Every structure is written in structure tokens, then in C-alpha cells.
Coordinates of all heavy atoms in Angstrom, one line a residue:
E1 N 9.6 1.1 10.7 CA 10.3 0.0 10.1 C 9.9 0.0 8.6 O 8.8 0.3 8.2 CB 9.8 -1.3 10.7 CG 10.5 -2.5 10.1 CD 10.1 -3.8 10.8 OE1 9.8 -3.7 12.0 OE2 10.0 -4.8 10.2
T2 N 10.9 -0.3 7.8 CA 10.6 -0.3 6.3 C 10.9 -1.7 5.8 O 11.7 -2.5 6.4 CB 11.5 0.7 5.5 OG1 12.9 0.4 5.7 CG2 11.2 2.1 6.0
F3 N 10.3 -2.0 4.7 CA 10.5 -3.3 4.0 C 10.3 -3.1 2.5 O 9.3 -2.5 2.1 CB 9.5 -4.4 4.6 CG 9.6 -5.7 3.9 CD1 10.6 -6.6 4.3 CD2 8.7 -6.0 2.9 CE1 10.7 -7.8 3.6 CE2 8.8 -7.3 2.3 CZ 9.8 -8.2 2.6
Q4 N 11.1 -3.8 1.7 CA 10.9 -3.7 0.3 C 11.3 -5.1 -0.3 O 12.2 -5.7 0.1 CB 11.8 -2.7 -0.4 CG 11.6 -2.4 -1.8 CD 12.2 -3.4 -2.8 OE1 13.2 -4.0 -2.5 NE2 11.5 -3.6 -3.9
S5 N 10.4 -5.5 -1.2 CA 10.7 -6.8 -1.9 C 10.0 -6.7 -3.3 O 9.0 -6.1 -3.4 CB 10.2 -8.0 -1.1 OG 10.4 -9.2 -1.8
N6 N 10.6 -7.4 -4.2 CA 10.0 -7.6 -5.5 C 9.3 -8.9 -5.6 O 8.8 -9.3 -6.7 CB 11.1 -7.6 -6.6 CG 11.8 -6.2 -6.7 OD1 11.1 -5.2 -6.6 ND2 13.1 -6.2 -6.9
H7 N 9.1 -9.6 -4.5 CA 8.5 -10.9 -4.5 C 7.2 -10.9 -3.7 O 7.2 -10.5 -2.5 CB 9.4 -12.0 -3.8 CG 10.7 -12.0 -4.6 ND1 10.9 -12.7 -5.8 CD2 11.9 -11.5 -4.3 CE1 12.1 -12.6 -6.2 NE2 12.8 -11.8 -5.3
E8 N 6.1 -11.2 -4.4 CA 4.8 -11.1 -3.8 C 4.7 -11.9 -2.5 O 4.1 -11.4 -1.5 CB 3.7 -11.6 -4.8 CG 2.3 -11.5 -4.3 CD 1.3 -12.0 -5.3 OE1 1.7 -12.9 -6.1 OE2 0.2 -11.5 -5.4
G9 N 5.2 -13.1 -2.4 CA 5.1 -13.9 -1.2 C 5.8 -13.3 -0.1 O 5.4 -13.4 1.1
A10 N 7.0 -12.7 -0.3 CA 7.7 -12.0 0.7 C 6.9 -10.8 1.3 O 6.9 -10.6 2.5 CB 9.1 -11.6 0.2
I11 N 6.2 -10.1 0.4 CA 5.4 -9.0 0.9 C 4.3 -9.5 1.7 O 4.0 -9.0 2.8 CB 4.9 -8.2 -0.3 CG1 6.1 -7.6 -1.1 CG2 3.9 -7.1 0.1 CD1 5.8 -7.0 -2.4
V12 N 3.6 -10.6 1.3 CA 2.5 -11.1 2.1 C 3.0 -11.6 3.4 O 2.4 -11.4 4.5 CB 1.9 -12.3 1.3 CG1 0.9 -13.1 2.2 CG2 1.1 -11.8 0.1
D13 N 4.2 -12.3 3.4 CA 4.7 -12.8 4.7 C 5.0 -11.6 5.7 O 4.7 -11.7 6.9 CB 6.0 -13.5 4.5 CG 5.8 -14.9 3.8 OD1 4.7 -15.4 3.8 OD2 6.8 -15.5 3.3
R14 N 5.5 -10.5 5.1 CA 5.9 -9.4 6.0 C 4.6 -8.7 6.6 O 4.5 -8.3 7.7 CB 6.7 -8.3 5.2 CG 7.1 -7.1 6.1 CD 7.9 -7.6 7.3 NE 8.1 -6.5 8.2 CZ 7.4 -6.4 9.4 NH1 6.4 -7.3 9.7 NH2 7.6 -5.4 10.2
I15 N 3.6 -8.6 5.7 CA 2.3 -8.0 6.2 C 1.7 -8.9 7.3 O 1.3 -8.5 8.3 CB 1.3 -7.9 5.0 CG1 1.8 -6.8 4.1 CG2 -0.1 -7.5 5.5 CD1 1.1 -6.7 2.7
Q16 N 1.7 -10.2 7.0 CA 1.2 -11.2 8.0 C 2.0 -11.1 9.3 O 1.4 -11.2 10.4 CB 1.1 -12.6 7.5 CG 0.1 -12.7 6.4 CD 0.1 -14.1 5.7 OE1 1.2 -14.8 5.7 NE2 -1.0 -14.5 5.1
A17 N 3.3 -10.9 9.3 CA 4.1 -10.8 10.5 C 3.8 -9.5 11.2 O 4.1 -9.4 12.4 CB 5.6 -10.8 10.1
A18 N 3.2 -8.5 10.6 CA 2.9 -7.3 11.2 C 1.6 -7.4 12.1 O 1.3 -6.4 12.8 CB 2.7 -6.2 10.2
Y19 N 0.9 -8.5 12.0 CA -0.4 -8.6 12.7 C -0.1 -8.4 14.2 O 0.8 -9.0 14.8 CB -0.9 -10.0 12.5 CG -2.2 -10.3 13.2 CD1 -3.4 -9.7 12.7 CD2 -2.3 -11.1 14.3 CE1 -4.6 -9.9 13.4 CE2 -3.5 -11.4 14.9 CZ -4.6 -10.8 14.5 OH -5.8 -11.0 15.1
K20 N -0.9 -7.4 14.7 CA -0.8 -7.0 16.2 C 0.6 -6.5 16.6 O 0.9 -6.4 17.7 CB -1.2 -8.2 17.1 CG -2.5 -8.8 16.8 CD -3.4 -8.6 18.0 CE -4.8 -9.3 17.7 NZ -5.9 -8.7 18.3
Q21 N 1.4 -6.1 15.6 CA 2.7 -5.5 15.8 C 2.8 -4.1 15.4 O 3.8 -3.4 15.8 CB 3.8 -6.4 15.1 CG 3.8 -7.8 15.5 CD 4.1 -8.1 17.0 OE1 5.0 -7.5 17.5 NE2 3.3 -8.9 17.6
V22 N 1.9 -3.6 14.6 CA 2.0 -2.2 14.0 C 0.8 -1.4 14.3 O -0.3 -2.0 14.5 CB 2.3 -2.3 12.5 CG1 3.7 -3.0 12.2 CG2 1.2 -2.9 11.7
S23 N 0.9 -0.1 14.2 CA -0.2 0.8 14.4 C -0.8 1.3 13.1 O -1.8 1.9 13.1 CB 0.2 2.0 15.3 OG 0.6 1.5 16.6
G24 N 0.0 1.1 12.0 CA -0.5 1.5 10.7 C 0.5 1.0 9.7 O 1.6 0.6 10.0
V25 N 0.0 1.1 8.4 CA 0.8 0.6 7.3 C 0.8 1.7 6.2 O -0.2 2.2 5.8 CB 0.3 -0.7 6.7 CG1 1.0 -1.1 5.4 CG2 0.4 -1.8 7.8
I26 N 2.0 2.0 5.6 CA 2.1 2.7 4.4 C 2.7 1.7 3.4 O 3.7 1.1 3.6 CB 3.1 3.9 4.5 CG1 2.6 4.9 5.6 CG2 3.3 4.6 3.2 CD1 3.6 6.0 6.0
I27 N 1.9 1.6 2.3 CA 2.3 0.6 1.3 C 2.3 1.1 -0.1 O 1.3 1.8 -0.5 CB 1.5 -0.7 1.4 CG1 2.0 -1.8 0.4 CG2 0.0 -0.4 1.2 CD1 1.4 -3.2 0.7
N28 N 3.3 0.8 -0.9 CA 3.3 1.1 -2.3 C 3.4 -0.3 -2.9 O 4.4 -0.9 -3.1 CB 4.5 1.9 -2.8 CG 4.5 2.1 -4.3 OD1 3.8 1.4 -5.0 ND2 5.3 3.1 -4.7
P29 N 2.2 -0.9 -3.3 CA 2.2 -2.2 -3.9 C 2.8 -2.3 -5.3 O 2.9 -3.4 -5.9 CB 0.8 -2.6 -3.9 CG 0.0 -1.5 -3.2 CD 0.9 -0.4 -3.2
A30 N 3.1 -1.2 -5.9 CA 3.7 -1.1 -7.3 C 2.8 -1.9 -8.2 O 1.6 -1.7 -8.2 CB 5.1 -1.6 -7.2
A31 N 3.4 -2.7 -9.1 CA 2.6 -3.4 -10.1 C 1.7 -4.4 -9.4 O 0.6 -4.7 -10.0 CB 3.6 -4.2 -11.0
Y32 N 1.9 -4.8 -8.2 CA 1.0 -5.7 -7.5 C -0.3 -5.0 -7.2 O -1.3 -5.7 -6.8 CB 1.6 -6.3 -6.2 CG 2.8 -7.3 -6.5 CD1 4.0 -7.0 -6.0 CD2 2.6 -8.4 -7.3 CE1 5.1 -7.9 -6.2 CE2 3.6 -9.3 -7.6 CZ 4.9 -9.0 -7.1 OH 5.9 -9.9 -7.3
T33 N -0.3 -3.7 -7.2 CA -1.6 -2.9 -7.0 C -2.7 -3.5 -7.9 O -3.8 -3.6 -7.4 CB -1.3 -1.5 -7.4 OG1 -0.3 -0.9 -6.6 CG2 -2.6 -0.6 -7.2
H34 N -2.4 -3.8 -9.1 CA -3.4 -4.2 -10.1 C -3.6 -5.7 -10.2 O -4.4 -6.1 -11.0 CB -2.9 -3.6 -11.4 CG -2.2 -2.3 -11.3 ND1 -2.9 -1.2 -11.0 CD2 -0.9 -2.0 -11.5 CE1 -2.0 -0.2 -10.9 NE2 -0.8 -0.6 -11.2
T35 N -2.8 -6.5 -9.5 CA -2.9 -7.9 -9.7 C -3.0 -8.8 -8.4 O -3.4 -9.9 -8.5 CB -1.6 -8.4 -10.4 OG1 -0.5 -8.1 -9.6 CG2 -1.5 -7.7 -11.8
S36 N -2.6 -8.2 -7.2 CA -2.5 -9.1 -6.1 C -3.6 -9.2 -5.1 O -3.8 -8.3 -4.2 CB -1.2 -8.7 -5.3 OG -1.0 -9.7 -4.3
V37 N -4.4 -10.2 -5.2 CA -5.4 -10.5 -4.3 C -4.8 -11.0 -3.0 O -5.3 -10.7 -1.9 CB -6.4 -11.5 -4.8 CG1 -7.4 -12.0 -3.7 CG2 -7.2 -11.0 -6.0
A38 N -3.6 -11.6 -3.1 CA -2.9 -12.1 -1.9 C -2.5 -11.0 -1.0 O -2.6 -11.0 0.2 CB -1.7 -12.9 -2.3
I39 N -1.9 -9.9 -1.6 CA -1.5 -8.7 -0.7 C -2.8 -8.1 -0.1 O -2.8 -7.7 1.0 CB -0.7 -7.8 -1.6 CG1 0.7 -8.4 -1.9 CG2 -0.5 -6.4 -0.8 CD1 1.6 -7.6 -2.8
R40 N -3.8 -8.0 -0.9 CA -5.1 -7.4 -0.4 C -5.6 -8.2 0.8 O -5.9 -7.7 1.9 CB -6.1 -7.4 -1.5 CG -7.5 -7.0 -1.0 CD -8.6 -7.3 -2.0 NE -9.9 -7.1 -1.5 CZ -10.5 -6.0 -1.4 NH1 -9.9 -4.9 -1.8 NH2 -11.7 -5.9 -0.9
D41 N -5.6 -9.6 0.7 CA -6.1 -10.4 1.7 C -5.2 -10.3 3.0 O -5.7 -10.3 4.1 CB -6.1 -11.9 1.3 CG -7.3 -12.2 0.3 OD1 -8.2 -11.3 0.1 OD2 -7.3 -13.2 -0.3
A42 N -3.9 -10.2 2.8 CA -3.0 -10.0 3.9 C -3.3 -8.7 4.7 O -3.3 -8.7 5.9 CB -1.5 -10.1 3.5
L43 N -3.5 -7.6 3.9 CA -3.8 -6.3 4.5 C -5.1 -6.4 5.3 O -5.2 -5.7 6.3 CB -3.8 -5.2 3.4 CG -2.5 -4.9 2.8 CD1 -2.7 -4.0 1.6 CD2 -1.6 -4.2 3.9
L44 N -6.0 -7.2 4.8 CA -7.3 -7.3 5.5 C -7.2 -7.9 6.9 O -8.1 -7.7 7.7 CB -8.3 -8.1 4.6 CG -9.0 -7.3 3.5 CD1 -9.7 -8.3 2.6 CD2 -9.9 -6.2 4.0
L45 N -6.1 -8.6 7.1 CA -5.9 -9.2 8.4 C -5.6 -8.2 9.5 O -5.8 -8.4 10.7 CB -4.7 -10.2 8.4 CG -4.9 -11.5 7.6 CD1 -3.6 -12.2 7.5 CD2 -6.0 -12.3 8.2
L46 N -5.0 -7.0 9.0 CA -4.6 -6.0 9.9 C -5.8 -5.1 10.2 O -6.5 -4.6 9.4 CB -3.5 -5.2 9.3 CG -2.3 -6.0 8.8 CD1 -1.2 -5.0 8.2 CD2 -1.6 -6.8 9.9
D47 N -5.9 -4.8 11.5 CA -7.0 -3.8 11.9 C -6.3 -2.5 12.2 O -6.4 -2.0 13.4 CB -7.8 -4.4 13.1 CG -9.0 -3.5 13.4 OD1 -9.5 -2.8 12.5 OD2 -9.4 -3.6 14.6
V48 N -5.7 -1.9 11.2 CA -4.9 -0.6 11.4 C -5.2 0.2 10.1 O -5.5 -0.3 9.1 CB -3.4 -0.9 11.6 CG1 -3.2 -1.7 12.8 CG2 -2.8 -1.5 10.4
P49 N -4.9 1.5 10.3 CA -5.0 2.4 9.1 C -4.0 2.0 8.0 O -2.8 1.6 8.4 CB -4.8 3.8 9.6 CG -4.9 3.7 11.1 CD -4.6 2.3 11.5
I50 N -4.4 2.1 6.8 CA -3.5 1.7 5.7 C -3.5 2.9 4.7 O -4.6 3.4 4.3 CB -4.0 0.5 4.9 CG1 -4.0 -0.7 5.9 CG2 -3.1 0.2 3.7 CD1 -4.7 -1.9 5.3
I51 N -2.3 3.4 4.3 CA -2.2 4.4 3.3 C -1.5 3.8 2.1 O -0.4 3.3 2.2 CB -1.3 5.6 3.8 CG1 -1.9 6.2 5.2 CG2 -1.3 6.7 2.8 CD1 -3.2 6.9 5.1
E52 N -2.1 3.9 1.0 CA -1.6 3.4 -0.3 C -0.9 4.6 -1.0 O -1.5 5.6 -1.2 CB -2.7 2.9 -1.2 CG -2.3 2.4 -2.5 CD -3.5 1.9 -3.4 OE1 -4.7 2.1 -3.0 OE2 -3.2 1.4 -4.4
V53 N 0.4 4.3 -1.4 CA 1.2 5.4 -2.0 C 1.6 4.9 -3.4 O 2.0 3.7 -3.5 CB 2.4 5.7 -1.2 CG1 3.3 6.7 -1.9 CG2 2.0 6.3 0.2
H54 N 1.6 5.8 -4.4 CA 2.1 5.5 -5.7 C 2.9 6.8 -6.1 O 2.4 7.9 -6.0 CB 1.0 5.2 -6.7 CG 0.3 4.0 -6.4 ND1 0.8 2.8 -6.6 CD2 -0.9 3.9 -5.8 CE1 -0.1 1.9 -6.2 NE2 -1.1 2.5 -5.7
I55 N 4.1 6.5 -6.6 CA 5.0 7.6 -7.0 C 4.4 8.3 -8.3 O 4.3 9.5 -8.3 CB 6.4 7.1 -7.3 CG1 7.1 6.7 -6.0 CG2 7.3 8.2 -8.0 CD1 8.4 6.0 -6.2
S56 N 3.9 7.5 -9.2 CA 3.2 8.1 -10.4 C 1.7 8.1 -10.1 O 1.2 7.5 -9.2 CB 3.5 7.2 -11.6 OG 2.9 6.0 -11.5
N57 N 1.0 8.9 -10.9 CA -0.5 8.9 -10.8 C -1.0 7.8 -11.6 O -1.1 7.8 -12.8 CB -1.0 10.3 -11.3 CG -2.5 10.4 -11.1 OD1 -3.2 9.4 -10.8 ND2 -3.0 11.6 -11.3
I58 N -1.4 6.7 -10.9 CA -1.9 5.5 -11.6 C -3.2 5.8 -12.4 O -3.5 5.1 -13.3 CB -2.1 4.3 -10.6 CG1 -3.2 4.7 -9.5 CG2 -0.8 3.9 -9.9 CD1 -3.6 3.5 -8.7
H59 N -3.9 6.8 -12.0 CA -5.2 7.2 -12.7 C -4.9 7.9 -14.0 O -5.9 8.0 -14.8 CB -6.0 8.0 -11.8 CG -6.2 7.3 -10.4 ND1 -7.0 6.2 -10.3 CD2 -5.7 7.6 -9.2 CE1 -7.0 5.8 -9.0 NE2 -6.2 6.6 -8.4
K60 N -3.7 8.3 -14.3 CA -3.4 8.9 -15.6 C -2.6 7.9 -16.5 O -2.1 8.3 -17.6 CB -2.5 10.1 -15.3 CG -3.2 11.3 -14.7 CD -2.3 12.5 -14.5 CE -2.1 13.1 -15.9 NZ -1.3 14.4 -15.8
R61 N -2.5 6.7 -16.1 CA -1.7 5.7 -16.8 C -2.6 4.8 -17.6 O -3.8 5.1 -17.8 CB -0.8 5.0 -15.9 CG 0.2 5.9 -15.2 CD 1.2 5.3 -14.4 NE 2.1 4.4 -15.2 CZ 2.9 3.5 -14.7 NH1 3.1 3.4 -13.4 NH2 3.7 2.8 -15.5
E62 N -2.1 3.7 -18.1 CA -2.9 2.7 -18.9 C -4.1 2.3 -18.1 O -4.2 2.3 -16.9 CB -2.1 1.5 -19.2 CG -0.8 1.8 -19.9 CD 0.4 1.9 -19.0 OE1 0.2 2.2 -17.8 OE2 1.5 1.8 -19.5
Q63 N -5.2 1.9 -18.8 CA -6.5 1.6 -18.2 C -6.3 0.5 -17.2 O -6.9 0.7 -16.1 CB -7.4 1.1 -19.3 CG -8.9 1.0 -18.8 CD -9.5 2.3 -18.3 OE1 -9.3 3.3 -18.9 NE2 -10.3 2.1 -17.3
F64 N -5.5 -0.5 -17.4 CA -5.4 -1.6 -16.4 C -4.8 -1.1 -15.1 O -5.0 -1.7 -14.1 CB -4.7 -2.8 -17.0 CG -3.2 -2.6 -17.1 CD1 -2.3 -3.0 -16.1 CD2 -2.6 -2.1 -18.3 CE1 -1.0 -2.9 -16.2 CE2 -1.3 -1.9 -18.4 CZ -0.4 -2.3 -17.4
R65 N -4.0 0.0 -15.2 CA -3.4 0.5 -13.9 C -4.3 1.3 -13.1 O -3.9 1.7 -12.0 CB -2.1 1.3 -14.3 CG -1.0 0.4 -14.9 CD 0.2 1.3 -15.0 NE 1.2 0.6 -15.9 CZ 2.1 -0.3 -15.5 NH1 2.1 -0.7 -14.2 NH2 2.9 -0.8 -16.3
K66 N -5.5 1.6 -13.6 CA -6.4 2.5 -12.8 C -7.1 1.7 -11.7 O -7.7 2.3 -10.8 CB -7.4 3.1 -13.8 CG -6.7 4.1 -14.7 CD -7.6 4.7 -15.7 CE -6.8 5.6 -16.6 NZ -7.7 6.3 -17.6
H67 N -7.1 0.4 -11.8 CA -7.7 -0.5 -10.8 C -6.7 -0.9 -9.7 O -5.6 -1.3 -10.0 CB -8.3 -1.7 -11.4 CG -8.9 -2.6 -10.3 ND1 -8.3 -3.7 -9.8 CD2 -10.1 -2.5 -9.7 CE1 -9.0 -4.2 -8.8 NE2 -10.1 -3.5 -8.8
S68 N -7.1 -0.7 -8.5 CA -6.2 -1.0 -7.3 C -7.0 -2.0 -6.4 O -8.1 -1.7 -6.0 CB -5.8 0.2 -6.5 OG -5.3 -0.2 -5.3
Y69 N -6.3 -3.1 -6.1 CA -6.9 -4.1 -5.2 C -6.8 -3.6 -3.8 O -7.4 -4.2 -2.9 CB -6.2 -5.5 -5.3 CG -6.8 -6.3 -6.5 CD1 -6.1 -6.3 -7.7 CD2 -8.0 -7.0 -6.3 CE1 -6.7 -7.1 -8.8 CE2 -8.5 -7.7 -7.4 CZ -7.8 -7.8 -8.6 OH -8.4 -8.5 -9.6
V70 N -6.1 -2.5 -3.5 CA -5.9 -2.0 -2.2 C -6.8 -0.8 -1.9 O -7.2 -0.6 -0.8 CB -4.4 -1.6 -2.0 CG1 -4.1 -1.0 -0.6 CG2 -3.5 -2.8 -2.2
A71 N -7.1 0.0 -2.9 CA -7.8 1.3 -2.7 C -9.0 1.2 -1.8 O -9.2 2.0 -1.0 CB -8.1 1.9 -4.1
D72 N -9.9 0.2 -2.0 CA -11.1 0.2 -1.3 C -11.0 -0.3 0.1 O -11.9 -0.2 0.9 CB -12.2 -0.6 -2.0 CG -11.9 -2.1 -2.1 OD1 -10.7 -2.5 -2.3 OD2 -12.8 -2.9 -1.9
I73 N -9.8 -0.8 0.5 CA -9.6 -1.2 1.9 C -8.6 -0.2 2.6 O -8.4 -0.3 3.8 CB -9.1 -2.7 2.0 CG1 -7.7 -2.9 1.4 CG2 -10.1 -3.6 1.5 CD1 -7.1 -4.2 1.7
A74 N -8.0 0.7 1.8 CA -7.1 1.6 2.4 C -7.8 2.8 3.0 O -8.9 3.2 2.6 CB -6.2 2.2 1.3
T75 N -7.2 3.4 4.1 CA -7.8 4.6 4.7 C -7.7 5.7 3.7 O -8.5 6.6 3.7 CB -7.0 4.8 6.0 OG1 -7.0 3.7 6.8 CG2 -7.5 6.0 6.7
G76 N -6.6 5.8 3.0 CA -6.4 6.8 2.0 C -5.4 6.4 0.9 O -4.7 5.4 1.1
Q77 N -5.3 7.2 -0.1 CA -4.4 6.9 -1.2 C -3.7 8.2 -1.7 O -4.4 9.2 -1.8 CB -5.2 6.3 -2.4 CG -4.3 6.0 -3.6 CD -5.1 5.5 -4.8 OE1 -5.8 6.4 -5.4 NE2 -5.1 4.3 -5.1
I78 N -2.4 8.2 -1.9 CA -1.7 9.3 -2.4 C -1.0 8.8 -3.7 O -0.2 7.8 -3.6 CB -0.6 9.8 -1.4 CG1 -1.3 10.2 -0.1 CG2 0.2 10.9 -1.9 CD1 -0.4 10.5 1.1
A79 N -1.2 9.5 -4.7 CA -0.7 9.1 -6.0 C -0.2 10.3 -6.8 O -0.9 11.4 -6.8 CB -1.7 8.3 -6.8
G80 N 0.9 10.2 -7.5 CA 1.4 11.2 -8.5 C 2.2 12.3 -7.9 O 2.5 13.2 -8.6
L81 N 2.6 12.2 -6.7 CA 3.4 13.3 -6.1 C 4.9 12.9 -5.9 O 5.6 13.5 -5.1 CB 2.8 13.7 -4.7 CG 1.4 14.3 -4.8 CD1 0.9 14.6 -3.4 CD2 1.3 15.5 -5.7
G82 N 5.3 11.8 -6.6 CA 6.7 11.4 -6.5 C 6.9 10.9 -5.1 O 6.0 10.5 -4.4
V83 N 8.2 10.9 -4.7 CA 8.6 10.4 -3.4 C 8.0 11.2 -2.3 O 8.0 10.8 -1.1 CB 10.1 10.2 -3.2 CG1 10.6 9.1 -4.2 CG2 10.9 11.5 -3.4
E84 N 7.6 12.4 -2.5 CA 7.0 13.3 -1.5 C 5.7 12.6 -1.0 O 5.4 12.8 0.2 CB 6.6 14.6 -2.2 CG 5.9 15.6 -1.2 CD 6.9 16.2 -0.1 OE1 8.1 16.1 -0.3 OE2 6.4 16.7 0.9
G85 N 5.1 11.7 -1.7 CA 4.0 11.0 -1.3 C 4.2 10.2 0.0 O 3.4 10.0 0.8
Y86 N 5.4 9.7 0.1 CA 5.8 8.9 1.3 C 5.8 9.8 2.6 O 5.3 9.4 3.6 CB 7.1 8.2 1.2 CG 7.1 7.1 0.1 CD1 7.8 7.3 -1.1 CD2 6.5 5.9 0.4 CE1 7.8 6.3 -2.0 CE2 6.5 4.9 -0.6 CZ 7.1 5.1 -1.8 OH 7.1 4.1 -2.7
Y87 N 6.3 11.0 2.4 CA 6.4 11.9 3.5 C 4.9 12.3 3.9 O 4.6 12.4 5.1 CB 7.2 13.2 3.2 CG 8.6 12.9 2.9 CD1 9.1 12.9 1.6 CD2 9.5 12.5 3.9 CE1 10.5 12.6 1.3 CE2 10.8 12.2 3.7 CZ 11.3 12.3 2.4 OH 12.6 12.0 2.1
L88 N 4.1 12.6 2.9 CA 2.7 13.0 3.2 C 2.0 11.8 3.8 O 1.2 12.0 4.7 CB 2.1 13.4 1.9 CG 2.6 14.7 1.2 CD1 2.0 14.9 -0.1 CD2 2.3 15.9 2.1
A89 N 2.2 10.6 3.4 CA 1.6 9.4 4.0 C 2.0 9.3 5.4 O 1.2 9.0 6.3 CB 1.9 8.2 3.2
F90 N 3.3 9.5 5.7 CA 3.8 9.3 7.1 C 3.1 10.4 8.0 O 2.6 10.1 9.1 CB 5.3 9.5 7.2 CG 5.8 9.3 8.6 CD1 5.9 8.0 9.1 CD2 6.2 10.4 9.3 CE1 6.4 7.8 10.4 CE2 6.7 10.2 10.6 CZ 6.8 8.9 11.1
E91 N 3.0 11.6 7.5 CA 2.4 12.7 8.2 C 0.9 12.4 8.5 O 0.4 12.5 9.6 CB 2.5 14.0 7.5 CG 2.0 15.2 8.2 CD 2.2 16.5 7.4 OE1 3.2 16.6 6.7 OE2 1.3 17.4 7.6
A92 N 0.2 11.9 7.5 CA -1.2 11.6 7.6 C -1.4 10.5 8.6 O -2.3 10.5 9.5 CB -1.8 11.3 6.3
L93 N -0.6 9.4 8.4 CA -0.7 8.3 9.3 C -0.4 8.6 10.8 O -1.1 8.2 11.7 CB 0.2 7.1 8.8 CG 0.0 5.8 9.5 CD1 -1.4 5.2 9.3 CD2 1.0 4.8 9.0
S94 N 0.5 9.5 11.0 CA 0.9 9.9 12.3 C -0.3 10.6 13.0 O -0.6 10.5 14.2 CB 2.1 10.9 12.3 OG 3.2 10.2 11.9
K95 N -1.0 11.5 12.2 CA -2.2 12.2 12.7 C -3.4 11.2 13.0 O -4.1 11.3 13.9 CB -2.6 13.2 11.7 CG -1.7 14.4 11.7 CD -2.1 15.5 10.7 CE -1.1 16.6 10.7 NZ -1.4 17.6 9.6
I96 N -3.5 10.2 12.1 CA -4.6 9.3 12.2 C -4.5 8.4 13.5 O -5.4 8.2 14.2 CB -4.7 8.4 11.0 CG1 -5.2 9.2 9.8 CG2 -5.7 7.2 11.2 CD1 -5.0 8.5 8.4
I97 N -3.2 7.9 13.7 CA -3.0 7.0 14.9 C -2.7 7.8 16.1 O -2.7 7.2 17.2 CB -2.0 6.0 14.6 CG1 -0.6 6.6 14.3 CG2 -2.4 5.1 13.4 CD1 0.5 5.6 14.1
G98 N -2.5 9.1 16.0 CA -2.3 9.9 17.2 C -1.0 9.7 17.8 O -0.6 9.8 18.9

């Protein structure tokens, strides 16, 4: 299942709705990566593997973009490989959850 929104509250609502409903999460929090404690807190509710994906390499961008509120709770992070990162995340998550 996929979900996309530009609204932080909608993302939080979707993550919370996933509680006990999913085996894993692939998330690209985009600009919320650097600002959203709410998304982080929602992800902490889930007891499943989480893969954080970024199309660009956030570590090569502006200083404020190098911090992620998701990275330390994620199982893994893929950054800078363009949309290929989503395929890699799906493959990794499939192996993790068996």
C-alpha cells in the first residue's frame, strides 16, 4: 500500500492507522525529515522495521538537512540513489520481514 501527502497531520494519521496492520514501513519524510517530531513519535508507535528513503543525498546538502528525526529509529536509511532507493528499500524490507 502506498500513501503520499504534503500535510504533516495526514502523514501522522496514516502512520497511526498502520498500527498492528503492517509488517514494515518505507518512508520518505521529505522536508519533514528535519522538522517533524510528530512523524517520529507516530513511527515509534509501530513495532516494525522502518526504512527511511531520500531521493537526494541529504548528507551532501545544506547543514540543516543533515539531521533526520527518523534516522535513529529507522532500521536503515537509503539516500542519494534517486527513485532506485525505493526499489532497494522494498527489497531490503522484504528480506528483513521474511
